[in-house]
């Protein structure tokens, strides 16, 4: 029985991986708003019904991928520093090159067509909003007990807002490329730390 259960879980994992790999490939070929569930299912070698057994929508696939990368980053945070100074804890993480290259590869793939359609913008906003809500839940556990919920919510939104802002600045210099170089990874890190520095100084106008 354990072998059967183990095989089922392995098959589920492989199916999820097939779906995410298929979506990334299709996103590099066409703007995301043009990708359909039917195309994605065919690319992944599954049925449309199987897709919906795993995900409720195409944006849900992206949210899961991003959340898995965010979980790795959160796990690497210095918990003691986080409780003293959350923004500095995130900046320390960035300084240690803890941003997964695969995460940046996804950002490049999803934006390589430089689409500015309303549908594309809405998907992007929804994914970042999902991540902010997820991070809020993580911070509730990691920060000291009885931390003001409003503080936690604004911290989560602020951090994810800086990621989104850094993404836009980074993409502007990427020129639609999907094959990233080490310099591209350093560039994103620089943009992100710069954005976090504004958050750390309380949004005072820089001199």
């Amino acid at each position: 029985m354990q072998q059967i259960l183990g095989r089922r879980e392995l098959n589920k994992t492989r199916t999820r991986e097939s779906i995410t790999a298929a979506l990334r490939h299709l996103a590099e070929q066409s703007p995301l708003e043009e990708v359909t569930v039917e195309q994605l299912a065919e690319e992944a070698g599954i049925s449309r019904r199987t897709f919906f057994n795993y995900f409720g929508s195409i944006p849900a696939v992206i949210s899961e991928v991003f959340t898995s990368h965010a979980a790795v980053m959160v796990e690497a945070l210095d918990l003691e520093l986080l409780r003293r100074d959350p923004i500095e804890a995130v900046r320390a993480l960035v300084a240690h090159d803890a941003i997964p290259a695969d995460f940046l590869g996804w950002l490049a793939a999803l934006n390589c067509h430089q689409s500015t359609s309303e549908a594309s913008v809405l998907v992007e906003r929804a994914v970042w909003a999902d991540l902010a809500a997820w991070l809020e839940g993580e911070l509730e556990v990691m920060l000291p007990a009885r931390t003001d919920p409003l503080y936690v919510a604004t911290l989560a939104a602020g951090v994810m807002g800086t990621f989104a802002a850094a993404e836009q600045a980074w993409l502007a210099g990427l020129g639609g490329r999907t094959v990233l170089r080490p310099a591209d990874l350093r560039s994103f890190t620089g943009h992100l730390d710069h954005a976090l520095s504004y958050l750390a100084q309380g949004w005072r106008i820089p001199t």
Side-chain angles (χ1 to χ4, degrees):
M1 180 61 72
Q2 287 182 336
Q3 287 181 332
I4 293 173
L5 291 174
R7 200 175 307 121
R8 285 177 180 171
E9 290 305 312
L10 181 60
N11 288 337
K12 288 180 181 179
T13 299
R14 287 174 175 169
T15 300
R16 298 184 93 87
E17 290 174 348
S18 295
I19 292 170
T20 55
L23 179 56
R24 180 159 171 176
H25 179 257
L26 289 172
E28 291 177 351
Q29 308 305 312
S30 305
L32 187 64
E33 63 268 24
E34 297 179 10
V35 177
T36 66
V37 170
E38 288 75 16
Q39 290 174 321
L40 180 51
E42 182 179 356
E43 181 76 18
I46 60 174
S47 68
R48 187 175 187 275
R49 180 176 179 178
T50 298
F51 171 83
F52 283 112
N53 286 339
Y54 286 83
F55 297 100
S57 64
I58 288 177
V61 182
I62 303 169
S63 288
E64 179 170 294
V65 171
F66 282 19
T67 299
S68 68
H69 283 310
V72 172
M73 288 184 265
V74 166
E75 183 67 25
L77 284 169
D78 181 330
L79 187 57
E80 183 178 339
L81 179 57
L82 178 73
R83 291 177 171 175
R84 293 200 316 269
D85 191 330
I87 301 305
E88 285 308 309
V90 178
R91 294 186 75 184
L93 185 75
V94 173
H96 286 87
D97 298 322
I99 308 301
D102 186 65
F103 171 68
L104 298 184
W106 270 93
L107 293 182
L110 293 170
N111 291 279
C112 64
H113 304 286
Q114 301 176 314
S115 174
T116 57
S117 72
E118 183 179 357
S120 177
V121 171
L122 288 175
V123 168
E124 183 93 3
R125 288 176 179 172
V127 169
W128 286 116
D130 284 348
L131 279 172
W134 172 85
L135 180 59
E136 184 178 342
E138 295 296 303
L139 291 173
E140 286 175 352
V141 176
M142 300 174 74
L143 291 173
R146 295 184 296 280
T147 298
D148 183 358
L150 185 58
Y151 173 89
V152 178
T154 52
L155 175 61
V159 169
M160 283 307 168
T162 59
F163 267 83
E167 176 201 18
Q168 293 306 308
W170 179 66
L171 290 170
L174 204 59
R177 285 185 294 105
T178 58
V179 178
L180 303 181
R181 302 184 290 253
D184 296 320
L185 308 185
R186 292 194 296 271
S187 174
F188 182 85
T189 298
H191 285 303
L192 181 55
D193 185 67
H194 195 180
L196 287 166
S197 73
Y198 288 136
L199 191 59
Q201 69 184 17
W203 304 107
R204 289 186 293 275
I205 300 298
T207 56

